[in-house]
mmCIF file of all heavy atoms in Angstrom:
data_model
loop_
_atom_site.group_PDB
_atom_site.id
_atom_site.type_symbol
_atom_site.label_atom_id
_atom_site.label_comp_id
_atom_site.label_asym_id
_atom_site.label_seq_id
_atom_site.Cartn_x
_atom_site.Cartn_y
_atom_site.Cartn_z
ATOM 1 N N SER H 1 0.850 -1.253 0.078
ATOM 2 C CA SER H 1 -0.016 -0.003 -0.035
ATOM 3 C C SER H 1 0.906 1.208 0.007
ATOM 4 O O SER H 1 2.126 1.178 0.221
ATOM 5 C CB SER H 1 -0.926 -0.022 1.256
ATOM 6 O OG SER H 1 -0.136 0.009 2.411
ATOM 7 N N GLY H 2 0.248 2.412 -0.298
ATOM 8 C CA GLY H 2 0.963 3.714 -0.237
ATOM 9 C C GLY H 2 1.381 4.274 -1.543
ATOM 10 O O GLY H 2 1.955 5.367 -1.566
ATOM 11 N N GLY H 3 1.148 3.569 -2.607
ATOM 12 C CA GLY H 3 1.533 4.168 -3.881
ATOM 13 C C GLY H 3 0.683 5.308 -4.226
ATOM 14 O O GLY H 3 -0.320 5.570 -3.604
ATOM 15 N N GLY H 4 1.039 6.016 -5.353
ATOM 16 C CA GLY H 4 0.185 7.131 -5.771
ATOM 17 C C GLY H 4 0.940 8.003 -6.832
ATOM 18 O O GLY H 4 2.027 7.559 -7.334
ATOM 19 N N LEU H 5 0.314 9.164 -7.071
ATOM 20 C CA LEU H 5 0.852 10.057 -8.030
ATOM 21 C C LEU H 5 1.516 11.285 -7.301
ATOM 22 O O LEU H 5 0.798 11.882 -6.435
ATOM 23 C CB LEU H 5 -0.225 10.608 -8.937
ATOM 24 C CG LEU H 5 0.097 11.764 -9.902
ATOM 25 C CD1 LEU H 5 1.198 11.321 -10.837
ATOM 26 C CD2 LEU H 5 -1.147 12.156 -10.610
ATOM 27 N N VAL H 6 2.768 11.459 -7.491
ATOM 28 C CA VAL H 6 3.513 12.621 -6.813
ATOM 29 C C VAL H 6 4.288 13.408 -7.834
ATOM 30 O O VAL H 6 4.406 13.002 -8.962
ATOM 31 C CB VAL H 6 4.410 12.080 -5.686
ATOM 32 C CG1 VAL H 6 3.576 11.514 -4.575
ATOM 33 C CG2 VAL H 6 5.466 11.247 -6.207
ATOM 34 N N GLN H 7 4.777 14.556 -7.429
ATOM 35 C CA GLN H 7 5.571 15.324 -8.251
ATOM 36 C C GLN H 7 7.112 15.060 -8.013
ATOM 37 O O GLN H 7 7.377 14.564 -6.879
ATOM 38 C CB GLN H 7 5.328 16.854 -8.013
ATOM 39 C CG GLN H 7 3.932 17.247 -8.593
ATOM 40 C CD GLN H 7 3.769 18.649 -8.502
ATOM 41 O OE1 GLN H 7 4.356 19.384 -7.704
ATOM 42 N NE2 GLN H 7 2.956 19.233 -9.415
ATOM 43 N N ALA H 8 7.935 15.286 -8.875
ATOM 44 C CA ALA H 8 9.406 15.166 -8.706
ATOM 45 C C ALA H 8 9.842 15.901 -7.481
ATOM 46 O O ALA H 8 9.433 17.050 -7.264
ATOM 47 C CB ALA H 8 10.197 15.593 -9.973
ATOM 48 N N GLY H 9 10.609 15.282 -6.738
ATOM 49 C CA GLY H 9 11.121 15.856 -5.493
ATOM 50 C C GLY H 9 10.367 15.492 -4.296
ATOM 51 O O GLY H 9 10.760 15.801 -3.138
ATOM 52 N N ASP H 10 9.150 15.061 -4.429
ATOM 53 C CA ASP H 10 8.293 14.681 -3.321
ATOM 54 C C ASP H 10 8.703 13.308 -2.704
ATOM 55 O O ASP H 10 9.605 12.706 -3.143
ATOM 56 C CB ASP H 10 6.854 14.520 -3.767
ATOM 57 C CG ASP H 10 6.199 15.866 -4.042
ATOM 58 O OD1 ASP H 10 6.778 16.908 -3.693
ATOM 59 O OD2 ASP H 10 5.082 15.805 -4.562
ATOM 60 N N SER H 11 8.072 13.015 -1.565
ATOM 61 C CA SER H 11 8.398 11.739 -0.868
ATOM 62 C C SER H 11 7.123 10.925 -0.859
ATOM 63 O O SER H 11 5.981 11.451 -0.949
ATOM 64 C CB SER H 11 8.754 12.084 0.565
ATOM 65 O OG SER H 11 9.986 12.729 0.595
ATOM 66 N N LEU H 12 7.344 9.623 -0.612
ATOM 67 C CA LEU H 12 6.144 8.636 -0.593
ATOM 68 C C LEU H 12 6.757 7.445 0.346
ATOM 69 O O LEU H 12 7.905 7.140 0.237
ATOM 70 C CB LEU H 12 5.847 8.199 -1.962
ATOM 71 C CG LEU H 12 4.466 7.730 -2.327
ATOM 72 C CD1 LEU H 12 3.418 8.725 -1.949
ATOM 73 C CD2 LEU H 12 4.308 7.317 -3.722
ATOM 74 N N ARG H 13 5.791 6.927 1.012
ATOM 75 C CA ARG H 13 6.166 5.773 1.885
ATOM 76 C C ARG H 13 5.296 4.574 1.460
ATOM 77 O O ARG H 13 4.105 4.659 1.579
ATOM 78 C CB ARG H 13 6.022 6.107 3.324
ATOM 79 C CG ARG H 13 6.531 5.016 4.201
ATOM 80 C CD ARG H 13 6.422 5.474 5.796
ATOM 81 N NE ARG H 13 7.036 4.471 6.600
ATOM 82 C CZ ARG H 13 8.338 4.552 7.023
ATOM 83 N NH1 ARG H 13 9.099 5.496 6.577
ATOM 84 N NH2 ARG H 13 8.778 3.602 7.836
ATOM 85 N N LEU H 14 5.905 3.516 1.046
ATOM 86 C CA LEU H 14 5.236 2.313 0.752
ATOM 87 C C LEU H 14 5.265 1.411 2.031
ATOM 88 O O LEU H 14 6.241 1.309 2.680
ATOM 89 C CB LEU H 14 5.846 1.569 -0.442
ATOM 90 C CG LEU H 14 6.001 2.415 -1.765
ATOM 91 C CD1 LEU H 14 6.614 1.555 -2.872
ATOM 92 C CD2 LEU H 14 4.608 2.980 -2.192
ATOM 93 N N SER H 15 4.194 0.662 2.143
ATOM 94 C CA SER H 15 4.217 -0.388 3.168
ATOM 95 C C SER H 15 3.784 -1.697 2.756
ATOM 96 O O SER H 15 2.979 -1.812 1.777
ATOM 97 C CB SER H 15 3.157 0.144 4.330
ATOM 98 O OG SER H 15 3.143 -0.783 5.436
ATOM 99 N N CYS H 16 4.368 -2.695 3.247
ATOM 100 C CA CYS H 16 4.091 -4.170 3.002
ATOM 101 C C CYS H 16 3.579 -4.771 4.263
ATOM 102 O O CYS H 16 4.394 -4.939 5.139
ATOM 103 C CB CYS H 16 5.275 -4.757 2.350
ATOM 104 S SG CYS H 16 5.084 -6.539 1.958
ATOM 105 N N ALA H 17 2.340 -5.291 4.241
ATOM 106 C CA ALA H 17 1.823 -6.002 5.310
ATOM 107 C C ALA H 17 1.880 -7.430 5.060
ATOM 108 O O ALA H 17 1.386 -7.949 3.995
ATOM 109 C CB ALA H 17 0.367 -5.470 5.574
ATOM 110 N N ALA H 18 2.463 -8.233 5.994
ATOM 111 C CA ALA H 18 2.608 -9.712 5.775
ATOM 112 C C ALA H 18 1.667 -10.440 6.702
ATOM 113 O O ALA H 18 1.453 -10.032 7.851
ATOM 114 C CB ALA H 18 4.068 -10.093 5.922
ATOM 115 N N SER H 19 1.180 -11.587 6.218
ATOM 116 C CA SER H 19 0.328 -12.374 7.149
ATOM 117 C C SER H 19 0.769 -13.913 6.758
ATOM 118 O O SER H 19 1.276 -14.108 5.718
ATOM 119 C CB SER H 19 -1.083 -12.172 6.921
ATOM 120 O OG SER H 19 -1.410 -12.399 5.626
ATOM 121 N N GLY H 20 0.504 -14.780 7.722
ATOM 122 C CA GLY H 20 0.829 -16.179 7.494
ATOM 123 C C GLY H 20 1.861 -16.689 8.397
ATOM 124 O O GLY H 20 1.694 -16.650 9.680
ATOM 125 N N ARG H 21 2.975 -17.122 7.926
ATOM 126 C CA ARG H 21 4.025 -17.601 8.768
ATOM 127 C C ARG H 21 4.821 -16.529 9.388
ATOM 128 O O ARG H 21 4.677 -15.380 9.183
ATOM 129 C CB ARG H 21 4.931 -18.557 7.893
ATOM 130 C CG ARG H 21 4.176 -19.630 7.184
ATOM 131 C CD ARG H 21 5.185 -20.541 6.487
ATOM 132 N NE ARG H 21 6.087 -21.294 7.399
ATOM 133 C CZ ARG H 21 7.063 -22.080 6.983
ATOM 134 N NH1 ARG H 21 7.229 -22.281 5.651
ATOM 135 N NH2 ARG H 21 7.868 -22.665 7.830
ATOM 136 N N THR H 22 5.666 -16.958 10.334
ATOM 137 C CA THR H 22 6.484 -15.968 11.091
ATOM 138 C C THR H 22 7.250 -15.101 10.258
ATOM 139 O O THR H 22 8.101 -15.489 9.565
ATOM 140 C CB THR H 22 7.353 -16.777 12.066
ATOM 141 O OG1 THR H 22 6.627 -17.728 12.801
ATOM 142 C CG2 THR H 22 8.116 -15.820 13.031
ATOM 143 N N PHE H 23 6.861 -13.825 10.408
ATOM 144 C CA PHE H 23 7.469 -12.747 9.460
ATOM 145 C C PHE H 23 9.017 -12.611 9.719
ATOM 146 O O PHE H 23 9.723 -12.461 8.674
ATOM 147 C CB PHE H 23 6.795 -11.444 9.892
ATOM 148 C CG PHE H 23 7.322 -10.297 9.043
ATOM 149 C CD1 PHE H 23 7.011 -10.277 7.695
ATOM 150 C CD2 PHE H 23 8.070 -9.294 9.633
ATOM 151 C CE1 PHE H 23 7.304 -9.122 6.875
ATOM 152 C CE2 PHE H 23 8.454 -8.151 8.887
ATOM 153 C CZ PHE H 23 8.116 -8.129 7.502
ATOM 154 N N SER H 24 9.540 -12.876 10.879
ATOM 155 C CA SER H 24 10.926 -12.690 11.084
ATOM 156 C C SER H 24 11.743 -13.802 10.464
ATOM 157 O O SER H 24 13.025 -13.754 10.487
ATOM 158 C CB SER H 24 11.219 -12.603 12.642
ATOM 159 O OG SER H 24 10.762 -13.879 13.248
ATOM 160 N N TRP H 25 11.198 -14.800 9.840
ATOM 161 C CA TRP H 25 11.851 -15.812 9.155
ATOM 162 C C TRP H 25 12.332 -15.404 7.793
ATOM 163 O O TRP H 25 12.966 -16.101 7.185
ATOM 164 C CB TRP H 25 11.051 -17.113 9.019
ATOM 165 C CG TRP H 25 10.789 -17.793 10.368
ATOM 166 C CD1 TRP H 25 11.294 -17.591 11.547
ATOM 167 C CD2 TRP H 25 9.909 -18.961 10.476
ATOM 168 N NE1 TRP H 25 10.869 -18.429 12.569
ATOM 169 C CE2 TRP H 25 9.905 -19.298 11.939
ATOM 170 C CE3 TRP H 25 9.125 -19.670 9.684
ATOM 171 C CZ2 TRP H 25 9.149 -20.306 12.438
ATOM 172 C CZ3 TRP H 25 8.426 -20.810 10.207
ATOM 173 C CH2 TRP H 25 8.405 -21.131 11.551
ATOM 174 N N TYR H 26 11.814 -14.281 7.417
ATOM 175 C CA TYR H 26 11.943 -13.875 5.954
ATOM 176 C C TYR H 26 12.824 -12.669 5.763
ATOM 177 O O TYR H 26 12.624 -11.695 6.449
ATOM 178 C CB TYR H 26 10.629 -13.592 5.362
ATOM 179 C CG TYR H 26 9.737 -14.741 5.240
ATOM 180 C CD1 TYR H 26 8.855 -15.119 6.350
ATOM 181 C CD2 TYR H 26 9.619 -15.628 4.205
ATOM 182 C CE1 TYR H 26 8.089 -16.239 6.319
ATOM 183 C CE2 TYR H 26 8.812 -16.741 4.088
ATOM 184 C CZ TYR H 26 8.035 -17.075 5.191
ATOM 185 O OH TYR H 26 7.235 -18.139 5.095
ATOM 186 N N VAL H 27 13.778 -12.769 4.854
ATOM 187 C CA VAL H 27 14.408 -11.606 4.248
ATOM 188 C C VAL H 27 13.322 -10.875 3.413
ATOM 189 O O VAL H 27 12.562 -11.563 2.640
ATOM 190 C CB VAL H 27 15.493 -11.954 3.371
ATOM 191 C CG1 VAL H 27 16.075 -10.713 2.633
ATOM 192 C CG2 VAL H 27 16.687 -12.728 4.251
ATOM 193 N N MET H 28 13.218 -9.578 3.506
ATOM 194 C CA MET H 28 12.237 -8.852 2.765
ATOM 195 C C MET H 28 12.961 -7.924 1.676
ATOM 196 O O MET H 28 14.014 -7.408 1.854
ATOM 197 C CB MET H 28 11.430 -7.920 3.651
ATOM 198 C CG MET H 28 10.710 -8.677 4.756
ATOM 199 S SD MET H 28 9.470 -9.807 4.016
ATOM 200 C CE MET H 28 8.356 -8.717 3.187
ATOM 201 N N GLY H 29 12.245 -7.841 0.511
ATOM 202 C CA GLY H 29 12.853 -7.000 -0.489
ATOM 203 C C GLY H 29 11.721 -6.231 -1.193
ATOM 204 O O GLY H 29 10.501 -6.479 -1.047
ATOM 205 N N TRP H 30 12.221 -5.164 -1.802
ATOM 206 C CA TRP H 30 11.387 -4.427 -2.702
ATOM 207 C C TRP H 30 11.973 -4.358 -4.166
ATOM 208 O O TRP H 30 13.195 -4.183 -4.265
ATOM 209 C CB TRP H 30 11.227 -2.907 -2.172
ATOM 210 C CG TRP H 30 10.317 -2.732 -1.112
ATOM 211 C CD1 TRP H 30 10.654 -2.724 0.241
ATOM 212 C CD2 TRP H 30 8.924 -2.495 -1.071
ATOM 213 N NE1 TRP H 30 9.562 -2.555 1.030
ATOM 214 C CE2 TRP H 30 8.405 -2.377 0.249
ATOM 215 C CE3 TRP H 30 8.016 -2.395 -2.179
ATOM 216 C CZ2 TRP H 30 7.107 -2.197 0.578
ATOM 217 C CZ3 TRP H 30 6.607 -2.219 -1.738
ATOM 218 C CH2 TRP H 30 6.203 -2.048 -0.530
ATOM 219 N N PHE H 31 11.065 -4.597 -5.072
ATOM 220 C CA PHE H 31 11.446 -4.609 -6.456
ATOM 221 C C PHE H 31 10.497 -3.624 -7.211
ATOM 222 O O PHE H 31 9.500 -3.226 -6.672
ATOM 223 C CB PHE H 31 11.289 -6.010 -7.014
ATOM 224 C CG PHE H 31 12.434 -6.892 -6.570
ATOM 225 C CD1 PHE H 31 12.236 -7.453 -5.220
ATOM 226 C CD2 PHE H 31 13.468 -7.202 -7.263
ATOM 227 C CE1 PHE H 31 13.091 -8.430 -4.774
ATOM 228 C CE2 PHE H 31 14.439 -8.117 -6.793
ATOM 229 C CZ PHE H 31 14.293 -8.713 -5.574
ATOM 230 N N ARG H 32 11.004 -3.274 -8.396
ATOM 231 C CA ARG H 32 10.047 -2.380 -9.247
ATOM 232 C C ARG H 32 10.015 -2.780 -10.732
ATOM 233 O O ARG H 32 11.136 -3.238 -11.157
ATOM 234 C CB ARG H 32 10.331 -0.961 -8.929
ATOM 235 C CG ARG H 32 11.712 -0.484 -9.579
ATOM 236 C CD ARG H 32 11.952 0.956 -9.116
ATOM 237 N NE ARG H 32 13.251 1.397 -9.733
ATOM 238 C CZ ARG H 32 13.735 2.596 -9.431
ATOM 239 N NH1 ARG H 32 13.139 3.594 -8.636
ATOM 240 N NH2 ARG H 32 14.963 2.938 -9.978
ATOM 241 N N GLN H 33 8.996 -2.462 -11.311
ATOM 242 C CA GLN H 33 8.936 -2.697 -12.817
ATOM 243 C C GLN H 33 8.362 -1.519 -13.483
ATOM 244 O O GLN H 33 7.210 -1.226 -13.309
ATOM 245 C CB GLN H 33 8.163 -4.006 -13.126
ATOM 246 C CG GLN H 33 8.205 -4.379 -14.662
ATOM 247 C CD GLN H 33 7.663 -5.789 -14.897
ATOM 248 O OE1 GLN H 33 6.963 -6.301 -14.160
ATOM 249 N NE2 GLN H 33 8.154 -6.294 -16.003
ATOM 250 N N ALA H 34 9.196 -0.856 -14.311
ATOM 251 C CA ALA H 34 8.779 0.378 -15.158
ATOM 252 C C ALA H 34 8.096 -0.233 -16.457
ATOM 253 O O ALA H 34 8.433 -1.291 -16.877
ATOM 254 C CB ALA H 34 9.840 1.223 -15.323
ATOM 255 N N PRO H 35 7.267 0.622 -17.069
ATOM 256 C CA PRO H 35 6.648 0.226 -18.285
ATOM 257 C C PRO H 35 7.689 -0.091 -19.316
ATOM 258 O O PRO H 35 8.690 0.600 -19.560
ATOM 259 C CB PRO H 35 5.888 1.506 -18.767
ATOM 260 C CG PRO H 35 5.613 2.147 -17.424
ATOM 261 C CD PRO H 35 6.717 1.920 -16.562
ATOM 262 N N GLY H 36 7.497 -1.329 -19.925
ATOM 263 C CA GLY H 36 8.491 -1.731 -21.027
ATOM 264 C C GLY H 36 9.831 -2.231 -20.568
ATOM 265 O O GLY H 36 10.705 -2.495 -21.367
#
């Protein structure tokens, strides 16, 4: 959650909420895919 439309120079905070197995067992990562 947390995505949106902003202007250059602005800030944004993305959040990832996990459920299921013990969260601390996992290395967490963020990836991105731009158009094309």
Side-chain angles (χ1 to χ4, degrees):
S1 61
L5 172 64
V6 297
Q7 292 187 333
D10 285 351
S11 297
L12 207 57
R13 188 176 186 90
L14 305 183
S15 185
C16 175
S19 61
R21 299 184 69 183
T22 304
F23 182 66
S24 61
W25 292 354
Y26 295 88
V27 172
M28 298 301 296
W30 283 93
F31 293 77
R32 67 185 182 186
Q33 187 169 21

